[in-house]
Amino acid sequence: MDNANEAIRLAVMMAASGDWSVGIGFGQVETPLPEETRAGRGPAFEYARVAVERAKNTNAHLAVHGPSHEATRLEAELQLTACIVSKRRATAWEAGTLADEGLTQQQIAKELGITQQAVSSRLSAALWFEANRMMDEAAKSLNRQLKMLKEQ
């Protein structure tokens, strides 16, 4: 993927589901990109393959590997985020999805037929905004790493 924000969010959601082991590798890729990911070449694909194997042995089902020490920090942050996301209840997902769409807590409460306090409680218990911020910051960090790699 060439969009770090989308890649981070997708990786966390897939890992949090418990159904996937997700590896994030960052670096250069050989172009043109192949139709199948397995046929991909370049350091990013190699790092991703290593990360996927490591992810299989983590509680978070997620690992990050790359050419810098930044990968270690990103991995720790994203593993914690995936663990938080995996604990969310369906009611938190209802409220959080609407919040992500830009609705206010009052609007969410009306939509769900609950009180604004219940919406606040659901979002707070799910660490909704904190996890979103962590993913946003991880994407910024990943973008910085990719920019530095391109400049080398």
Side-chain angles (χ1 to χ4, degrees):
M1 297 181 77
D2 60 1
N3 182 308
N5 202 343
E6 289 177 11
I8 295 289
R9 288 181 181 280
L10 180 61
V12 167
M13 296 307 156
M14 290 175 65
S17 76
D19 296 327
W20 296 86
S21 294
V22 181
I24 298 175
F26 60 91
Q28 299 295 323
V29 296
E30 291 180 16
T31 54
L33 293 175
E35 289 190 28
E36 290 188 25
T37 306
R38 291 175 191 235
R41 300 279 180 253
F45 286 103
E46 294 165 17
Y47 292 136
R49 289 180 189 110
V50 169
V52 167
E53 289 306 312
R54 279 206 344 264
K56 292 176 183 178
N57 297 310
T58 69
N59 289 332
H61 308 285
L62 188 149
V64 180
H65 195 62
S68 72
H69 294 295
E70 188 70 11
T72 303
R73 186 185 60 76
L74 277 170
E75 180 177 277
E77 291 172 355
L78 294 177
Q79 285 179 342
L80 180 58
T81 304
C83 287
I84 290 167
V85 170
S86 74
K87 305 286 187 216
R88 290 179 175 166
R89 296 176 181 215
T91 55
W93 281 104
E94 285 179 323
T97 301
L98 293 171
D100 286 350
E101 291 174 5
L103 275 68
T104 66
Q105 288 189 15
Q106 292 242 336
Q107 292 168 323
I108 295 168
K110 185 176 180 180
E111 176 82 18
L112 298 179
I114 59 177
T115 66
Q116 184 275 324
Q117 290 82 2
V119 171
S120 179
S121 179
R122 289 177 183 189
L123 295 173
S124 178
L127 298 173
W128 195 270
F129 299 112
E130 295 83 358
N132 280 353
R133 183 167 179 235
M134 182 63 78
M135 288 184 279
D136 289 343
E137 292 301 317
K140 288 176 189 175
S141 178
L142 184 54
N143 276 326
R144 283 191 299 273
Q145 291 301 304
L146 293 172
K147 183 178 177 185
M148 288 183 351
L149 288 171
K150 286 180 182 178
E151 292 171 354
Q152 292 179 349

